[in-house]
Amino acid sequence: MKIIIEKDFEAMSETAKNILLGCMSQDKRINLSITAGNTPVGVYKSMIEIVKDSPNYTNVHYYNFDEIPVTDQAEGITITDLRKLYFTPANINEANIHPLTVENYAQQDRRLAMDGGLDAMLIGLGGDGHFCGNMPTTTSFENLTYKVKVSGEEPWFVPDMMEKGLEFVTMGPVSVMRVKHLILIVNGKKKAEMVKNVLQGPVTEEYPASVLQLHPNFTVILDEEAASKLDR
Amino acid sequence: MKIIIEKDFEAMSETAKNILLGCMSQDKRINLSITAGNTPVGVYKSMIEIVKDSPNYTNVHYYNFDEIPVTDQAEGITITDLRKLYFTPANINEANIHPLTVENYAQQDRRLAMDGGLDAMLIGLGGDGHFCGNMPTTTSFENLTYKVKVSGEEPWFVPDMMEKGLEFVTMGPVSVMRVKHLILIVNGKKKAEMVKNVLQGPVTEEYPASVLQLHPNFTVILDEEAASKLDR
Amino acid sequence: MKIIIEKDFEAMSETAKNILLGCMSQDKRINLSITAGNTPVGVYKSMIEIVKDSPNYTNVHYYNFDEIPVTDQAEGITITDLRKLYFTPANINEANIHPLTVENYAQQDRRLAMDGGLDAMLIGLGGDGHFCGNMPTTTSFENLTYKVKVSGEEPWFVPDMMEKGLEFVTMGPVSVMRVKHLILIVNGKKKAEMVKNVLQGPVTEEYPASVLQLHPNFTVILDEEAASKLDR
Amino acid sequence: MKIIIEKDFEAMSETAKNILLGCMSQDKRINLSITAGNTPVGVYKSMIEIVKDSPNYTNVHYYNFDEIPVTDQAEGITITDLRKLYFTPANINEANIHPLTVENYAQQDRRLAMDGGLDAMLIGLGGDGHFCGNMPTTTSFENLTYKVKVSGEEPWFVPDMMEKGLEFVTMGPVSVMRVKHLILIVNGKKKAEMVKNVLQGPVTEEYPASVLQLHPNFTVILDEEAASKLDR
């Protein structure tokens, strides 16, 4: 594990962008899995400027790592958000986007293996210690990509996004461990305690992201606030 | 995880030998970590025939992954056994042997990183679910190479080999996860139940080898007896 | 370049087989390109025993690296020979065989990139210094996979196999340089002089295989006769 | 080969910097070889801001790829220039700098192999088609790191820098082919013709950099002027 502490959100975003672009600039197919949400907004903003309409990154293929289906919508929450944040403004060719869905999740690990594996994955950290869709109470470390049925009594239950009985899918710990370079970005004071728990505490399913300490090529990029409780 | 089931001990040994020789035959420095004990005896026997006095494998460097010091002896149990089983009969150059000891263990992970990392590691499985020196009751998944002080009350206590207060060292789960190709060999009916526990059961520190399910390039070679309780 | 000299054809074949099986035993998709002809007969004979009907090598995909079409035949000389020597007796699943043809050669390099690249390639050496279909007088080092139109006046013209105007296809020097592990097998006294030329002489299009000296992970396996003119 | 064309020197420098920092941000030892001269000035300027006094890049080791000794000076032209351009302003730890010299050049390839190989190399292009110290009239493609004795009649003879009888050393084509990611930066109209020659012309020792077309992971970054004569 390599921890890079940057002074603020912008510097964190810049460093993550550099890592992704460095990987994408190689002379071979590159498979990337990238996160939706608020944390990567700065990363994508500067990537779009470089990638948009560029002939230089057509070798890059994109995979989402989790998905929550939405009733009456063709696509789920994650891919919809990724389109808005990055794929659409960067004009990514549809043939380079490989959605994970509730329908195809059982083929995800095999498909990735067939495509040569993921070269890099950019993830965030949940305030409850989750990564991808690996939540407290529903994560088993021995899982590949799997489906979770929400009971409605989970500690992380989000009423307006999920209903009782909803199912979502996520790449599991075993799937994520196979990524050649794993990059975690976290910012803000609110997550400082959880950053310490998952990076310097025991590996436990209670805080699923703690398992990432076992990843063989894991770069963590924090802003000063998120790093403020770490033992240095 | 890829599970290869061979008909017997000889076939298991042959397949493990092929994997190691294939790796060693590359045109670059190769760093190997190999296990002592009874399980690899057949592997080393056929490797010695090929490697002994050969100019073809001088690019291979060897590292032991655990060590138990012995009072009044210059070298510990593991390296002494490896010398007997392989290094001495194969005439391995002393400069290519890099012992891990109770004195230098704190530098082991950094040294391996400096040397370019381990290309392959051959391990066995303990009847109690241990791998390397990662024993039930003393293993934490977040460990790099570490030292254990034996209390004498461990379930795996071996009276004639260890005394109360003895210390030994081992590469930990995080260290092993960094190996580029991890190879586990297990034979015999006595270990069939534990093989099932660690390969198809939950990842738990109770059976330390269960964590290996998370390794990104993990080949398991079993004889039919060791595989007899697996769900197929 | 790593040169391994074995005492005879059997030992040469055994070492090549070990390298291929070692690679194939990994826990990921493996893309192999293997040669037709007489030199690999011993390699395939022992591989078939291990691979036939085995569930352990379904992760392996096969690609031929050159092809000579035959009038009135659905498949060309190379793939027909590979089927006879290995694919058919080893019961390789048709879905794991990816023929290169005169029709699809222009997509070969892109297809390989999309599939994650070749992990290993086994090749032989022509008595005239050719490798794959890279012949003296028709090879340019800057070539990816390309098509050659035979004029009938080539020094290597083989009357019963090729006619004037025939076209064949081959992966070029640039394509071969991208293979992660390149393995060359050569046996017999007749090729000893050419072995010296291509491995210890200048890199020149006159002896196309001389360019392989530039490959970053190149293992050469020779029997004593083929190695007899090398400076040691 | 992947060609990235940027609008100007700044954009070219920015992209090269991203690739290097992306590589350096991994959680393992990284071995870099970087070029002296004018072309990389912009790359180093922005790298220094990020790397200087940072704890995040202590895993990076530096190697020069050629050297010209200077009478009465402890260090040669290349390393002296690299110190001025980057090592000194970036406060790189002396233990992370591994000079190539006329004295130690014969060990360079073995040393690099022992250290795990070069992860990336940043090079420039000479107006005469040279790369590193591989000059027209003195380059043989089959060379590892080698020493050149200047006769004084070379077409590229630079009177104020070299004298008749001077010796210099350089990593050769075979050494450079082993680098995991090769990055070439070129800017300016004056080199446009040579850029076309070496990237789209035949592989020939007359223009030594033409051999780089054979590199398996080669990224070329040009400004618009340097790219102005390329067939697109």
Side-chain angles (χ1 to χ4, degrees):
Chain A
M1 184 170 50
K2 177 191 186 77
I3 301 179
I4 297 179
I5 300 169
E6 300 289 1
K7 64 178 190 302
D8 55 22
F9 182 77
E10 278 65 37
M12 177 199 81
S13 303
E14 174 73 10
T15 295
K17 179 210 72 172
N18 287 345
I19 294 177
L20 294 180
L21 278 173
C23 181
M24 295 159 68
S25 299
Q26 292 182 87
D27 178 22
K28 56 179 180 180
R29 175 180 181 145
I30 295 296
N31 298 323
L32 278 193
S33 190
I34 57 176
T35 184
N38 295 321
T39 318
V41 164
V43 179
Y44 299 149
K45 207 178 143 196
S46 52
M47 277 179 67
I48 289 164
E49 288 174 34
I50 294 167
V51 171
K52 191 186 175 186
D53 300 328
S54 166
N56 299 329
Y57 303 100
T58 54
N59 59 317
V60 182
H61 289 252
Y62 297 92
Y63 301 78
N64 53 318
F65 52 64
D66 60 13
E67 192 52 278
I68 305 166
V70 181
T71 315
D72 300 331
Q73 256 185 237
E75 292 199 315
I77 288 177
T78 301
I79 197 87
T80 300
D81 197 36
L82 282 172
R83 288 191 186 281
K84 197 182 70 184
L85 289 175
Y86 178 70
F87 296 149
T88 303
N91 262 359
I92 301 300
N93 193 319
E94 197 61 34
N96 291 34
I97 302 173
H98 306 271
L100 168 70
T101 67
V102 170
E103 287 75 34
N104 73 7
Y105 82 95
Q107 284 79 51
Q108 176 77 349
D109 294 285
R110 184 175 157 77
R111 176 169 69 156
L112 283 168
M114 287 301 103
D115 291 351
L118 287 173
D119 295 282
M121 181 187 272
L122 179 71
I123 60 173
L125 175 69
D128 55 1
H130 83 256
F131 71 104
C132 307
N134 297 288
M135 316 300 290
T137 75
T138 59
T139 299
S140 293
F141 285 158
E142 60 274 15
N143 278 348
L144 285 159
T145 303
Y146 63 106
K147 188 162 71 178
V148 177
K149 186 158 184 167
V150 177
S151 74
E153 279 151 39
E154 286 78 6
W156 40 268
F157 186 68
V158 186
D160 39 327
M161 233 172 72
M162 294 191 186
E163 292 161 41
K164 192 169 162 172
L166 184 89
E167 291 177 332
F168 68 89
V169 291
T170 184
M171 289 176 65
V174 175
S175 314
V176 172
M177 218 54 69
R178 293 177 182 172
V179 175
K180 289 180 200 112
H181 191 189
L182 180 65
I183 304 127
L184 171 67
I185 48 174
V186 196
N187 70 296
K189 205 171 285 185
K190 282 197 310 190
K191 291 186 178 166
E193 189 70 34
M194 189 51 70
V195 163
K196 183 171 170 47
N197 289 341
V198 302
L199 300 185
Q200 297 184 334
V203 172
T204 165
E205 290 172 352
E206 191 184 349
Y207 303 133
S210 62
V211 77
L212 303 176
Q213 293 180 54
L214 286 160
H215 192 284
N217 190 7
F218 180 33
T219 302
V220 180
I221 314 171
L222 307 172
D223 72 353
E224 280 288 356
E225 291 188 355
S228 58
K229 302 229 167 142
L230 285 179
D231 291 335
R232 306 208 207 178
Chain B
M1 182 170 50
K2 177 192 188 75
I3 301 179
I4 297 179
I5 301 169
E6 302 288 1
K7 64 177 191 303
D8 55 20
F9 182 78
E10 278 66 38
M12 177 199 81
S13 302
E14 174 74 9
T15 295
K17 179 210 73 174
N18 287 344
I19 295 178
L20 293 179
L21 278 173
C23 180
M24 294 159 68
S25 299
Q26 293 182 86
D27 177 23
K28 54 180 179 180
R29 175 180 181 144
I30 295 295
N31 298 323
L32 279 193
S33 189
I34 57 175
T35 183
N38 295 320
T39 318
V41 164
V43 180
Y44 299 148
K45 206 177 144 196
S46 52
M47 277 179 68
I48 289 163
E49 288 174 34
I50 295 167
V51 171
K52 191 187 176 185
D53 300 329
S54 166
N56 300 328
Y57 304 100
T58 54
N59 59 316
V60 182
H61 289 251
Y62 298 91
Y63 300 78
N64 53 319
F65 52 66
D66 59 13
E67 192 52 277
I68 305 166
V70 181
T71 315
D72 300 332
Q73 257 187 235
E75 292 199 315
I77 289 176
T78 301
I79 197 86
T80 301
D81 196 35
L82 283 172
R83 288 190 185 282
K84 196 183 71 182
L85 290 175
Y86 179 69
F87 296 149
T88 303
N91 262 358
I92 302 300
N93 193 318
E94 198 61 35
N96 290 35
I97 302 172
H98 306 272
L100 167 70
T101 67
V102 170
E103 286 75 35
N104 73 7
Y105 82 95
Q107 284 79 53
Q108 176 77 348
D109 294 286
R110 184 177 157 75
R111 176 169 68 157
L112 283 168
M114 287 301 103
D115 290 352
L118 286 173
D119 294 282
M121 181 186 272
L122 178 71
I123 60 173
L125 175 69
D128 56 0
H130 82 256
F131 71 103
C132 307
N134 296 287
M135 315 302 289
T137 74
T138 59
T139 298
S140 295
F141 285 157
E142 62 273 16
N143 277 352
L144 284 160
T145 303
Y146 63 107
K147 188 163 69 178
V148 177
K149 186 158 185 169
V150 178
S151 74
E153 280 152 36
E154 286 78 7
W156 40 269
F157 185 68
V158 187
D160 39 326
M161 234 172 72
M162 296 190 186
E163 291 162 42
K164 193 169 162 170
L166 184 89
E167 290 177 333
F168 67 90
V169 291
T170 183
M171 290 176 64
V174 174
S175 315
V176 172
M177 218 55 68
R178 293 176 181 174
V179 176
K180 289 179 200 112
H181 191 189
L182 180 65
I183 304 127
L184 171 66
I185 48 175
V186 196
N187 70 296
K189 206 171 285 185
K190 282 197 311 190
K191 290 185 179 167
E193 190 69 35
M194 189 51 70
V195 163
K196 183 172 168 47
N197 289 341
V198 302
L199 299 186
Q200 298 184 334
V203 172
T204 165
E205 290 171 353
E206 191 184 348
Y207 303 133
S210 61
V211 77
L212 303 176
Q213 293 180 53
L214 287 160
H215 192 284
N217 190 8
F218 180 34
T219 301
V220 180
I221 314 172
L222 308 172
D223 72 353
E224 280 289 355
E225 291 188 354
S228 58
K229 302 228 168 144
L230 283 181
D231 292 334
R232 305 208 208 176
Chain C
M1 184 169 50
K2 177 192 188 76
I3 301 179
I4 297 179
I5 301 169
E6 302 288 2
K7 65 178 189 303
D8 56 21
F9 182 77
E10 279 65 39
M12 177 199 81
S13 303
E14 174 75 8
T15 296
K17 179 210 72 172
N18 288 344
I19 294 177
L20 294 180
L21 279 173
C23 181
M24 295 159 68
S25 300
Q26 292 182 86
D27 177 23
K28 55 179 179 180
R29 175 180 180 144
I30 294 296
N31 298 323
L32 278 194
S33 190
I34 58 175
T35 184
N38 295 321
T39 318
V41 163
V43 180
Y44 300 148
K45 207 178 143 196
S46 52
M47 278 179 68
I48 289 164
E49 288 174 34
I50 294 167
V51 171
K52 191 187 174 185
D53 300 328
S54 165
N56 299 328
Y57 303 100
T58 55
N59 59 317
V60 182
H61 290 252
Y62 297 91
Y63 301 78
N64 53 318
F65 51 65
D66 59 13
E67 191 52 279
I68 304 166
V70 182
T71 315
D72 301 330
Q73 257 186 237
E75 292 198 316
I77 288 176
T78 300
I79 197 88
T80 300
D81 197 35
L82 283 172
R83 288 190 186 281
K84 197 183 70 184
L85 290 175
Y86 179 69
F87 297 149
T88 303
N91 262 359
I92 301 300
N93 193 319
E94 198 61 36
N96 290 35
I97 302 173
H98 305 272
L100 167 70
T101 67
V102 171
E103 287 74 34
N104 73 7
Y105 82 96
Q107 284 79 52
Q108 176 77 348
D109 294 286
R110 183 175 158 76
R111 176 169 68 156
L112 283 168
M114 286 302 104
D115 291 351
L118 287 173
D119 294 282
M121 181 186 272
L122 178 71
I123 60 174
L125 176 69
D128 55 0
H130 82 256
F131 71 103
C132 307
N134 297 287
M135 316 300 290
T137 75
T138 59
T139 298
S140 294
F141 285 158
E142 60 275 14
N143 278 349
L144 284 159
T145 303
Y146 62 108
K147 188 163 70 179
V148 176
K149 186 159 184 169
V150 177
S151 74
E153 280 153 38
E154 285 79 5
W156 40 268
F157 185 67
V158 185
D160 39 328
M161 234 172 72
M162 293 190 186
E163 291 162 41
K164 191 170 163 171
L166 184 90
E167 292 177 332
F168 67 89
V169 291
T170 184
M171 290 176 65
V174 175
S175 314
V176 173
M177 219 53 70
R178 293 177 181 173
V179 175
K180 289 179 200 113
H181 191 189
L182 180 66
I183 304 128
L184 171 66
I185 49 175
V186 196
N187 69 297
K189 205 171 286 185
K190 282 197 311 190
K191 292 187 179 166
E193 190 69 35
M194 189 51 70
V195 163
K196 183 172 168 48
N197 289 340
V198 303
L199 300 185
Q200 298 184 334
V203 172
T204 165
E205 289 171 352
E206 191 184 348
Y207 303 132
S210 63
V211 76
L212 303 176
Q213 293 180 52
L214 286 160
H215 193 284
N217 190 7
F218 180 35
T219 302
V220 180
I221 314 172
L222 307 172
D223 72 353
E224 280 288 355
E225 291 188 355
S228 58
K229 302 228 167 142
L230 285 179
D231 291 335
R232 305 207 207 177
Chain D
M1 182 170 51
K2 177 192 188 77
I3 301 179
I4 297 179
I5 300 169
E6 301 288 3
K7 64 177 192 300
D8 56 20
F9 182 78
E10 277 67 37
M12 178 199 80
S13 303
E14 173 75 9
T15 295
K17 178 210 74 173
N18 287 344
I19 295 177
L20 294 179
L21 278 174
C23 181
M24 295 159 68
S25 300
Q26 292 182 87
D27 178 22
K28 55 179 180 182
R29 176 180 179 144
I30 295 295
N31 298 324
L32 279 192
S33 189
I34 57 175
T35 184
N38 294 321
T39 318
V41 163
V43 179
Y44 300 148
K45 206 177 144 196
S46 51
M47 277 179 69
I48 290 164
E49 289 174 34
I50 294 167
V51 171
K52 191 186 175 185
D53 300 328
S54 165
N56 299 328
Y57 304 100
T58 54
N59 59 317
V60 182
H61 289 252
Y62 297 91
Y63 300 78
N64 53 318
F65 52 65
D66 60 13
E67 192 53 278
I68 305 166
V70 182
T71 316
D72 301 330
Q73 258 186 235
E75 293 197 315
I77 289 176
T78 301
I79 197 87
T80 301
D81 197 34
L82 283 171
R83 289 190 185 282
K84 196 183 68 181
L85 290 175
Y86 178 70
F87 296 148
T88 304
N91 262 357
I92 302 300
N93 193 318
E94 198 61 33
N96 290 35
I97 302 172
H98 306 271
L100 167 70
T101 67
V102 170
E103 286 75 34
N104 72 8
Y105 83 96
Q107 285 78 52
Q108 176 77 349
D109 294 286
R110 185 176 155 75
R111 175 169 69 157
L112 283 168
M114 287 301 103
D115 291 352
L118 286 173
D119 294 282
M121 180 187 272
L122 178 71
I123 60 174
L125 176 69
D128 56 0
H130 82 256
F131 72 104
C132 307
N134 296 288
M135 315 301 290
T137 74
T138 58
T139 299
S140 294
F141 286 157
E142 61 274 15
N143 277 351
L144 284 160
T145 302
Y146 62 107
K147 187 163 69 177
V148 176
K149 185 158 185 168
V150 177
S151 73
E153 280 151 38
E154 286 78 6
W156 40 268
F157 186 68
V158 186
D160 39 326
M161 232 172 74
M162 295 192 186
E163 289 162 43
K164 194 170 162 171
L166 184 88
E167 291 177 332
F168 66 90
V169 291
T170 183
M171 289 175 66
V174 175
S175 315
V176 173
M177 218 55 68
R178 293 176 181 173
V179 175
K180 289 180 200 112
H181 191 189
L182 180 66
I183 303 127
L184 170 68
I185 48 174
V186 196
N187 69 297
K189 205 171 286 185
K190 282 197 311 190
K191 291 186 178 167
E193 191 70 34
M194 190 51 70
V195 163
K196 181 170 171 47
N197 288 342
V198 303
L199 299 186
Q200 298 184 333
V203 172
T204 165
E205 289 171 352
E206 191 184 348
Y207 303 132
S210 62
V211 77
L212 303 177
Q213 293 179 53
L214 286 160
H215 193 283
N217 190 8
F218 180 33
T219 301
V220 180
I221 314 172
L222 308 172
D223 73 353
E224 280 288 356
E225 291 188 355
S228 58
K229 303 228 167 144
L230 285 180
D231 292 334
R232 306 208 207 178

